């Protein structure tokens, strides 16, 4: 990427990036998937490929805050089942980025997000009872975990858009609010940190992008505190509706740009 372009943003553009960083903090501690809006803002202000490299350290900062907040609520059996499939998806996403242009990336991820939202809504309307988190031990649960894991790894690598995919998986598995947030916090901290070498190798992260991150990361902290305050005031049904709504909005933004 041409990192020189990162230094030519206007004051209004920096304000937009700062607002997006604030939303990252909020999404990590309140409504996972809402940071697809942040993804769209970063891609609108910066070159689309460059924006993924700038956004990644911001997401990691939010992940650290989320882990500190919800570390006691993670469901580790679910995480261990997801990681191998996610690794496959990350490698596939890296190869995809070698040749795909911005338009193909946006269209692919937007379509996947809308598909996942539609499947989740359909499953929840047709199911008589919710699945429990330990249902991932069944054969169908393992297949679902692998499918979502590959999609999550792929989408998080190519566009930092794995949040909505994993949100759909955790909702479909019947996770309640705190278990959802604790499990996703550890998942994305580990996955996002593992993506750093790939992003550096692709030229998406360098010294100039990290300096811009240093200016933006301070806005993640107040967003995380706002999210922590808000999540205690959101009931489970509203929480699920907000997650699905954020996924749909993010998918549409990517498709319509």
């Amino acid at each position: 990427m041409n990192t020189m372009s990162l230094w030519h943003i206007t004051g209004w553009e920096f304000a937009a990036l700062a607002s997006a960083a604030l939303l990252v903090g909020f999404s990590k501690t309140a409504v996972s998937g809402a940071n697809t809006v942040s993804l769209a803002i970063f891609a609108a202000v910066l070159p689309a490929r460059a924006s993924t490299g700038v956004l990644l350290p911001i997401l990691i900062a939010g992940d650290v805050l989320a882990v500190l907040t919800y570390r006691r609520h993670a469901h580790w059996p679910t995480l261990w089942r997801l990681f191998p499939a996610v690794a496959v998806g990350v490698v596939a996403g890296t190869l995809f980025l070698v040749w795909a242009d911005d338009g193909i990336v946006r269209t692919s991820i937007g379509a996947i997000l809308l598909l996942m939202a539609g499947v989740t809504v359909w499953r929840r309307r047709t199911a008589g009872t919710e699945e429990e988190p330990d249902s991932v031990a069944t054969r169908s649960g393992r297949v679902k975990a692998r499918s979502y894991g590959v999609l999550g790894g792929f989408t998080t690598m190519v566009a930092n858009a794995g949040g909505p995919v994993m949100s759909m998986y955790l909702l479909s598995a019947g996770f309640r609010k705190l278990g959802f947030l604790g499990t996703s916090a550890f998942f994305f901290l580990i996955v996002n940190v593992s993506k750093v070498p790939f992003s550096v190798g692709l030229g998406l992260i360098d010294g100039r992008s990290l300096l811009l991150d240093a200016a933006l990361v301070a806005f993640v902290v107040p967003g995380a505190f706002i999210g922590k305050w808000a999540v205690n005031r959101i009931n489970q049904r509203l929480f699920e509706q907000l997650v699905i709504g954020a996924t749909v909005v993010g998918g549409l933004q990517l498709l319509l740009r």
Side-chain angles (χ1 to χ4, degrees):
M1 72 176 179
N2 180 11
T3 53
M4 287 298 294
S5 64
L6 300 181
W7 300 106
H8 297 156
I9 59 177
T10 67
W12 286 108
E13 288 172 335
F14 182 82
L17 294 177
S19 298
L22 186 82
L23 184 57
V24 167
F26 176 83
S27 71
K28 293 295 185 179
T29 56
V31 182
S32 181
N35 61 11
T36 53
V37 178
S38 301
L39 184 157
I41 293 173
F42 269 73
V45 173
L46 303 172
R49 283 173 62 88
S51 70
T52 64
V54 176
L55 183 56
L56 181 56
I58 301 295
L59 294 174
I60 292 173
D63 293 328
V64 171
L65 294 172
V67 164
L68 292 175
T69 304
Y70 300 116
R71 59 189 179 277
R72 296 179 181 177
H73 303 284
H75 189 255
W76 282 98
T78 295
L79 291 171
W80 291 124
R81 288 185 179 93
L82 285 170
F83 285 142
V86 171
V88 173
V90 168
V91 172
T94 302
L95 297 175
F96 182 73
L97 280 174
V98 170
W99 66 268
D101 61 24
D102 290 340
I104 294 175
V105 169
R106 285 195 301 269
T107 301
S108 300
I109 300 305
I112 289 171
L113 297 185
L114 293 179
L115 176 63
M116 293 299 100
V119 169
T120 298
V121 171
W122 177 78
R123 285 176 58 88
R124 297 186 73 79
R125 288 185 175 179
T126 57
T129 59
E130 291 187 347
E131 298 175 75
E132 294 300 322
D134 61 3
S135 67
V136 295
T138 66
R139 181 175 180 179
S140 62
R142 289 193 296 270
V143 171
K144 182 171 68 174
R146 290 167 185 165
S147 300
Y148 276 89
V150 171
L151 279 175
F154 179 83
T155 54
T156 195
M157 187 64 225
V158 301
N160 289 317
V165 175
M166 298 316 302
S167 294
M168 295 301 96
Y169 170 70
L170 294 176
L171 286 184
S172 70
F175 277 83
R176 305 296 292 176
K177 186 167 54 176
L178 292 179
F180 177 108
L181 291 168
T183 303
S184 63
F186 274 100
F187 174 84
F188 281 108
L189 177 60
I190 294 169
V191 170
N192 283 333
V193 169
S194 72
K195 286 162 50 182
V196 171
F198 295 95
S199 296
V200 172
L202 290 167
L204 300 176
I205 294 178
D206 62 11
R208 292 180 182 274
S209 68
L210 289 174
L211 284 175
L212 180 56
D213 286 322
L216 292 172
V217 73
F219 297 93
V220 179
V221 178
F225 280 108
I226 294 171
K228 174 61 177 174
W229 172 85
V231 77
N232 294 322
R233 292 161 175 79
I234 301 174
N235 63 38
Q236 181 68 24
R237 183 175 179 81
L238 177 59
F239 175 80
E240 295 174 2
Q241 291 172 341
L242 289 173
V243 170
I244 294 172
T247 301
V248 171
V249 170
L252 289 173
Q253 286 175 327
L254 291 169
L255 283 175
L256 297 177
R257 282 195 70 244

